[in-house]
Amino acid sequence: MIFNTAIKKILLSILITNYISAIDFLKTSGDTIVNENNEKIILQGFGLGGWVVLEGYMWNCYIEHASTSRMENAIEYLVGQDKKKEFLDLYRKNYITEKDIKYISDNNFNALRVPLHYRDFSPNFMEFTNEGFELLDSLIVWGNRHNIYLVLDMHAAPGAQNTSDFSDSEINGDSELFTSYTNQRWLASTWKYIANYYKNEPVIAGYDLLNEPARAGIATTLRNIYEQCIDSIRTVDQNHIVIIEGNWYGNDHTGLFPPFDQNIVYSFHHYVGGINDTLTMYNQYRNDIALRYNVPLWVGEFGENSNVWGNGIKEFFNRNNIGWSWWNFKSVERISSLFSYKITDEYQNLINYWGGNGIRPDTTEAFEGLMSMARNLHFDSCKVNIGLTRALSDTSFNSTNKSLSNFFAPGLLPAVDYDSGNNNVAYFDNQSEDPSKFSPATKSWNNGWSYRNDGVDIGFSSGGTGNYHVGWIEDGEWMKYSIFSQKPDNYKVFLEISSYNNDGIIMATSDFGDTLGPINIPNSAGLGDGWRIINLGNISIQEKVTLKVEALSGGFDFKN
């Protein structure tokens, strides 16, 4: 075991040193994180949710309390232990590849938060394994190659640090990390084992010691756990940052002051409130933690909201030297993830079965469903969330609309392929974020929850040409389309629409001052059905024109 580990470290070192890397060890300096040249580094990237620590909602797998263990047990029940391993090996291989890493590097991100499960490093108390390191080996190489830091996050701790499925807690169980001293020692020894392995690896930005602890009355216990983990880490590793989260899912830091390490970062998570609701967050974290105690902040998770929201909250973080990680990186058919992948027919059968709406598939059918999902997970099969990429990395997102599809006339331009950019820049919609998540007032920013993560409401529909349409259109809402032409000419503009009344009115204007319409939308036998083609008018295109299509009066659907 020791010999094999040494050989793997040597081989990994050879791979890493085959190229020049800009990666340095990071450390804290006052309320910022800096590299070895004392240059400020704001860690900005994504969380690899669902890679090692499974979560049911990311698979559309709504079994009861869909934790890692329960999901793996459900898979093994259908296909057996060997085929379960074969599936999980392919799933984890395809979830994150060098192409994924290169994409985020090319788009100016510099960090990945990597959720870990304790059992991949220590399956039993004081028993250790290399399985976790083997999972991370490729990430280490790619991170060095593409200048992407890794934050290692203990997402599932011994005994569980909360009762939620994502900590791999027992169904109806307790957060036994806080009630068992053995579990606390287990966590500390696991971190020491990890730190000893990575003590000389600068691509590791830091150790996020415990994801989202949550239990009443644990302020003293939580601090003791953190102190025990840090003491254990420091016996073998003086190089890396340690990151601590507050109670109640990261946000209550009672009892965790003053700071108790020279290289410590305080972390919180953020999912609630609108883009203008930042005063409380500033006071609670920036003012009362970072400025008062002169320590950096890191937002281990924010997201599950629109591109508009992500851009606004990210701007707040950047103004205040707060690093961040968007949740989530890759999910099945989820508009708010950076990457999403399609549900295959074979995998849909499994979803139906797990949801109580289908018969149990046989072993062959179940295995093919799982493997088809794992194949679709690969970068080459995924849909990239271009809007989210721009919202989190492109400084022109708030001022400039950019073509999504590079459409050249003549041809068919889907209505859902409007330009990318912020609300009131590339489009205007009355509801462009959800400021009330996790409350009774929550409301989706995209009513159809399809295709894109903007305020524009997009639904799936049969009939007409294509599968998606813009719907739920209200008075005054609009979208911009960049249209190119290699052959300057005068073009006719047609719209494919559907309506249940005669009240809709639509018009278009170009950035050269041309106006098409307004046109009354005829009743075509109902929304989402009865698609009709209407002639909007003519427009001259030399090389490029931007066409703004506006609903003067809504109540219709728009497909192409």
Side-chain angles (χ1 to χ4, degrees), residues 243-430:
I243 301 170
I244 62 170
E245 302 182 25
N247 191 16
W248 297 119
Y249 301 95
N251 298 310
D252 180 0
H253 296 81
T254 301
L256 300 180
F257 306 109
F260 41 95
D261 188 81
Q262 295 300 309
N263 209 14
I264 196 169
V265 171
Y266 283 72
S267 178
F268 65 97
H269 292 182
H270 182 73
Y271 287 103
V272 298
I275 57 176
N276 297 316
D277 302 330
T278 56
L279 181 60
T280 298
M281 185 163 47
Y282 180 89
N283 288 334
Q284 184 175 352
Y285 303 118
R286 176 66 176 160
N287 189 55
D288 289 352
I289 297 179
L291 298 181
R292 181 177 179 184
Y293 293 102
N294 201 28
V295 292
L297 296 174
W298 156 257
V299 182
E301 294 180 21
F302 84 116
E304 301 289 6
N305 215 310
S306 69
N307 299 336
V308 171
W309 184 90
N311 174 263
I313 299 300
K314 176 265 300 186
E315 292 290 314
F316 168 80
F317 293 153
N318 287 356
R319 287 194 304 270
N320 290 284
N321 290 332
I322 302 173
W324 46 264
S325 172
W326 180 269
W327 192 266
N328 186 37
F329 185 70
K330 190 175 286 189
S331 303
V332 60
E333 294 192 6
R334 192 164 187 84
I335 63 173
S336 57
S337 296
L338 178 63
F339 299 106
S340 63
Y341 56 101
K342 285 286 187 183
I343 296 173
T344 65
D345 291 341
E346 296 85 357
Y347 182 60
Q348 183 63 54
N349 291 334
L350 276 177
I351 293 175
N352 294 341
Y353 166 68
W354 281 327
N357 298 313
I359 62 173
R360 176 184 172 180
D362 63 29
T363 299
T364 301
E365 293 169 336
F367 185 63
E368 178 51 35
L370 291 166
M371 295 300 280
S372 70
M373 184 263 270
R375 289 189 291 268
N376 259 16
L377 189 69
H378 192 276
F379 178 88
D380 291 339
S381 300
C382 281
K383 179 181 177 183
V384 180
N385 194 332
I386 295 171
L388 180 64
T389 303
R390 284 199 65 205
L392 297 179
S393 67
D394 187 346
T395 56
S396 70
F397 179 78
N398 288 317
S399 59
T400 306
N401 55 295
K402 294 184 178 180
S403 174
L404 184 81
S405 60
N406 292 319
F407 171 78
F408 280 81
L412 185 72
L413 175 57
V416 295
D417 285 349
Y418 57 90
D419 288 359
S420 72
N422 212 342
N423 193 33
N424 223 18
V425 172
Y427 67 92
F428 172 72
D429 193 277
N430 289 312

Side-chain angles (χ1 to χ4, degrees), residues 74-90:
I75 292 167
E76 186 170 331
Y77 174 72
L78 291 174
V79 301
Q81 187 173 13
D82 291 343
K83 289 187 180 298
K84 178 190 76 171
K85 183 180 185 305
E86 185 178 347
F87 158 68
L88 288 174
D89 286 347
L90 181 64

Side-chain angles (χ1 to χ4, degrees), residues 476 478-481 507-511 546-550:
W478 52 263
M479 294 154 292
K480 288 183 179 178
Y481 299 87
M507 68 175 292
T509 53
S510 79
D511 51 351
T546 299
L547 200 64
K548 176 182 176 182
V549 179
E550 181 176 2

Side-chain angles (χ1 to χ4, degrees), residues 67 80 201 311 325 344 457 467 488 496:
S67 64
E201 180 49 72
N311 174 263
S325 172
T344 65
D457 303 305
N467 294 322
E496 188 173 13

